[in-house]
């Protein structure tokens, strides 16, 4: 199967599942559900959930609906958490962005209060979705996957990275501080996609370790490439404005080390990810390797 075929095939199913999850409206709370749907169904690339499915496929040796069926709730939860983080990241108190996923940001449409609540709503819906899945099948690997997602999203993971990023704007960040930001802010959810996918599918320890390694390398490379695109990317293609890092005097790999060194780091991390995934000789493993390379060197 070609990568695009997989993305269309599973992307459609995922879209329908996510849409069903936010179909509630209610008499007094309809606005927050509208706002949750607005951002969740805004046509994100669904990288994390689709990768979670592939990681499950790679460790079981199958690229089959029956494997994906068992891990969808974890994939959906990850996308909900990712979307909440984008809604909050775009708020005036954080990055103050007007556009996201090619349309106005949540707070620009619904106002700040509802945007904050929409983020909160999605975060909690993510864990409700996971708990429902665990009630149906509380296999140990699935419990581990739930913990992986909670840790990666929390104050030792993405929230830690975002905090470090916010504070870096007020002080001169050291290379270690910068490293911490790049690893955690975006990297943790990427890592969680591969790790939780492997765990939820009941993978053995060595496969879990490989996925963790690949996920970490990919996540960091993805963020560094994002920094590169902020300098070199095309705003129309990206669906958001470029040059904002330099404008906001943000510390990024590019502003600290320069574009050349940032490119070298991406190449190194990309090789690390490929190496960690080299033993998954099956269709899902191949698709995962191909996608990671394409993502790392993406133009948007
Ligand atoms: C608010 C706790 C909290 C955390 C926010 C994710 C995040 C942490 C900040 C986002 C900052 C940012 C724009 C980083 C660049 C990399 C990134 C996460 C891009 C968006 O992810 P994609 O490309 O987006 O997967 P889509 O829209 O396709 O899902």
């Amino acid at each position: 199967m070609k990568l695009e075929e997989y993305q269309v095939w599973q992307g459609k199913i995922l879209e329908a599942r996510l849409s069903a999850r936010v179909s509630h409206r209610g008499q007094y709370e309809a606005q927050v559900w509208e706002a949750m749907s607005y951002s969740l169904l805004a046509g994100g690339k669904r990288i994390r959930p689709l990768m979670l499915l592939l990681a499950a496929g790679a460790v079981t040796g199958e690229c089959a609906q029956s494997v994906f069926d068992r891990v969808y709730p974890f994939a959906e939860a990850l996308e909900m958490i990712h979307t909440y983080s984008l809604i909050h990241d775009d708020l005036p108190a954080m990055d103050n962005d007007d556009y996201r996923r090619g349309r106005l940001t949540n707070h620009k449409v619904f106002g700040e209060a509802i945007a904050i609540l929409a983020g909160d709503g999605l975060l909690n819906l993510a864990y409700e979705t996971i708990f429902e899945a665990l009630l149906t099948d509380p296999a140990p690997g699935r419990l581990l996957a739930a913990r992986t997602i909670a840790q990666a999203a929390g104050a030792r993971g993405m929230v830690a990275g975002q905090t470090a990023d916010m504070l870096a704007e007020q002080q001169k960040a050291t290379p270690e501080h910068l490293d911490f930001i790049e690893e955690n802010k975006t990297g943790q959810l990427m890592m969680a996609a591969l790790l939780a996918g492997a765990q939820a599918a009941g993978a053995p320890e060595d496969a879990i370790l490989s996925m963790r390694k690949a996920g970490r390398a990919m996540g960091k490379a993805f963020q560094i490439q994002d920094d590169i695109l902020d300098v070199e990317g095309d705003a129309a293609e990206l669906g958001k404005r470029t040059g904002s890092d330099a404008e906001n005097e943000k510390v990024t790999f590019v502003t600290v080390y320069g574009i050349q060194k940032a490119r070298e780091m991406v190449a190194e991390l990309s090789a690390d990810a490929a190496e960690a995934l080299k033993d998954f000789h099956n269709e899902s493993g191949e698709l995962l390797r191909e996608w990671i390379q394409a993502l790392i060197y993406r133009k948007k």
Side-chain angles (χ1 to χ4, degrees):
M1 187 187 309
K2 289 211 173 72
L3 180 57
E4 298 80 57
E5 281 167 9
Y6 164 76
Q7 288 165 334
V8 171
W9 171 38
Q10 284 305 313
K12 273 194 187 141
I13 296 175
L14 197 65
E15 214 59 39
R17 294 185 65 109
L18 288 172
S19 173
R21 296 275 183 203
V22 288
S23 62
H24 177 84
R25 285 299 175 268
Q27 191 178 354
Y28 303 106
E29 71 278 36
Q31 236 191 84
V32 80
W33 285 92
E34 279 292 340
M36 287 158 71
S37 303
Y38 175 83
S39 291
L40 188 66
L41 307 177
K45 297 182 287 300
R46 312 301 190 209
I47 296 168
R48 296 152 194 80
L50 291 174
M51 285 218 173
L52 186 148
L53 301 181
L54 280 182
V59 299
T60 54
E62 287 176 79
C63 189
Q65 193 59 54
S66 57
V67 174
F68 302 148
D69 278 337
R70 290 199 293 275
V71 299
Y72 279 131
F74 299 92
E76 291 161 40
L78 208 52
E79 186 66 15
M80 290 177 202
I81 294 172
H82 168 58
T83 305
Y84 119 75
S85 81
L86 297 179
I87 296 174
H88 282 192
D89 186 63
D90 290 334
L91 285 168
M94 296 210 196
D95 266 10
N96 196 17
D97 274 315
D98 293 351
Y99 287 93
R100 167 73 65 185
R101 291 179 163 169
R103 50 160 102 174
L104 283 172
T105 44
N106 201 290
H107 66 273
K108 282 275 153 196
V109 177
F110 298 95
E112 272 185 65
I114 294 293
I116 292 169
L117 291 168
D120 296 340
L122 284 170
L123 178 59
N124 284 288
L125 188 60
Y127 292 112
E128 184 184 330
T129 304
I130 289 178
F131 277 120
E132 260 171 22
L134 293 178
L135 284 170
T136 313
D137 176 4
R142 291 161 69 87
L143 292 167
L144 287 173
R147 187 183 64 178
T148 292
I149 292 175
Q151 279 181 343
R156 272 186 224 95
M158 178 178 71
V159 170
Q162 180 78 348
T163 304
D165 192 17
M166 294 284 136
L167 297 178
E169 286 169 23
Q170 296 151 24
Q171 62 200 54
K172 198 169 153 37
T174 61
E176 291 76 23
H177 188 158
L178 179 62
D179 226 44
F180 183 88
I181 296 169
E182 305 278 291
E183 261 182 46
N184 288 287
K185 191 179 73 169
T186 320
Q188 284 277 350
L189 284 199
M190 289 280 184
M191 186 279 295
L194 299 199
L195 181 56
Q199 288 171 323
E205 196 55 37
D206 56 338
I208 286 179
L209 283 176
S210 300
M211 283 295 174
R212 187 198 295 271
K213 234 173 160 176
R216 280 184 69 133
M218 168 186 68
K220 193 166 169 187
F222 185 85
Q223 178 60 56
I224 299 175
Q225 183 67 13
D226 195 71
D227 296 346
I228 294 174
L229 287 174
D230 191 70
V231 178
E232 293 187 331
D234 178 75
E237 221 178 323
L238 287 166
K240 62 175 188 181
R241 74 197 160 93
T242 53
S244 62
D245 291 344
E247 215 174 273
N248 298 332
E249 293 179 29
K250 253 183 128 161
V251 275
T252 74
F253 254 88
V254 175
T255 57
V256 171
Y257 295 105
I259 202 116
Q260 191 48 38
K261 173 77 184 158
R263 279 205 204 99
E264 282 166 26
M265 294 280 313
V266 168
E268 249 173 60
L269 289 162
S270 141
D272 291 349
E275 169 68 22
L277 291 175
K278 71 177 185 335
D279 291 332
F280 296 104
H281 300 292
N282 54 57
E283 193 172 17
S284 290
E286 271 159 31
L287 289 174
L288 199 53
R289 278 191 292 276
E290 184 189 338
W291 197 0
I292 288 178
Q293 293 308 310
L295 252 194
I296 290 179
Y297 292 109
R298 73 195 185 284
K299 295 277 172 243
K300 62 176 183 178

